[in-house]
Structures are given as structure tokens and as C-alpha cells.
Amino acid sequence: MLDDTKVPWLDASKIEEFALAWRKIEGNSNASIFKIVEFLYETLPNLLVGKALEIITYDDLGEDSPAFVRFLNQRKHGYQLVELHIENWVLENAKLDDEEARKIIAHEIGHIILHDVSAQKFSPGSEKNVRFLPNEESGEWQAKRFADAFLVPLHVAASFDNPEELAEYCAVDIDCAKRRLISVRAEA
């Protein structure tokens, strides 16, 4: 069963803008690979507006996913508390530029930046939950788009024709590289 959340409408171009703005804040808008774990621990918590980030690590979450974000109706120092629950292997492998680990972290950063406690649960099998979401209102779609744009900015992707070369240059999987090259062509 698909788990998702209904979030405020964001189209792909606005998500691109947010992802690039966060890359620029870090000073890495043109870098092929940047230190995403350092960004997660050092940059992101200091620049979030209205949110207090707590990162909780585990050897094994016992979940289907090695990471998830939880927005709590609690305040910490006057800010909405946001928890990132993440398995240690993801953090350690991301430090080694592992593409899967980097994608997981970028996806969760997307949730942290783009979403808040107002997200409404979505599950296609439940009568109580929202039954249909356009992509632009899907928390998972938005976070995936953000991760792609955050890891491979369009202006970087535009320098490539070959998805394998782009994937290697940015330490992303081939599917991400292909999606980014399709996005570049759509922008042209």
C-alpha cells in the first residue's frame, strides 16, 4: 500500500527553485558532489525557518524505509519540532558518496524543507484518507523531485548528453541522471 501525504501544491519549477536556492546557500550550486551529511547536520538546522530539526539515528529502524521524517505538534525553543529518523548505514555510506544513501538523505531533506505538520495522510485503500492526489500535491512526489534537483541541478545536467557520465559526475543512480536529462530537454 502506498503511503503519501497531501501537501500544499508545488509544481516542478518551484521545487527546482527551492532546491537550487538551498544548493546556493551551501555554496555548492556548481559542485558535482557535495558533502550532504555535513549539510544535513551543520547547514540545514541553522537555516530552517520556524522548524527545529532533531536527527535520531538507529542501527535498524525496523521499517520498510531506512529513513523518514516526522513533524510533531510540539515546539522546541518556539519552533515546530521536526524529527529525521535515519539508519546509521545511510549516513556512513553518504559520507562515501554512495548514490543510494545520498538519494535517501536528499529525499528526506526535501520533506524537511518543503513540508510541515499540516500534511494530510494519503492511502489509496482507506476511506478515511485522501483517495487521489495530483503529483503537485503529493509529498512523496515533491520530495523525489526535490532530491533529483538538489543532487543534480539543471544547469549541471545541461552540460551532459550521456546519463552514465552525469550519474558518475554527481554520484547519483542512472535513473536520476536520466530524469534530469529529460528535465533539461523539457526546459529547452
Side-chain angles (χ1 to χ4, degrees), residues 88-151:
N88 289 315
W89 73 264
V90 176
L91 296 167
E92 294 308 313
N93 287 4
K95 290 176 188 175
L96 302 172
D97 296 328
D98 176 79
E99 56 195 44
E100 179 68 15
R102 288 169 42 80
K103 178 172 68 173
I104 291 166
I105 293 173
H107 180 94
E108 299 309 329
I109 289 171
H111 283 301
I112 293 164
I113 290 172
L114 301 175
H115 306 140
D116 62 25
V117 73
S118 68
Q120 182 181 0
K121 274 297 213 187
F122 168 80
S123 178
S126 173
E127 294 297 325
K128 295 181 182 178
N129 297 332
V130 177
R131 297 186 123 262
F132 169 77
L133 288 176
N135 283 341
E136 293 83 358
E137 290 183 301
S138 161
E140 289 304 313
W141 179 85
Q142 289 181 7
K144 183 176 183 176
R145 290 299 297 239
F146 180 92
D148 283 358
F150 192 63
L151 295 171

Side-chain angles (χ1 to χ4, degrees), residues 10 14-15 34 66 77 85-86 93 142 144 147 170 185:
L10 274 179
K14 188 55 92 175
I15 294 168
F34 67 100
H77 307 294
H85 298 258
I86 190 163
N93 287 4
Q142 289 181 7
K144 183 176 183 176
C170 293
R185 291 182 192 112

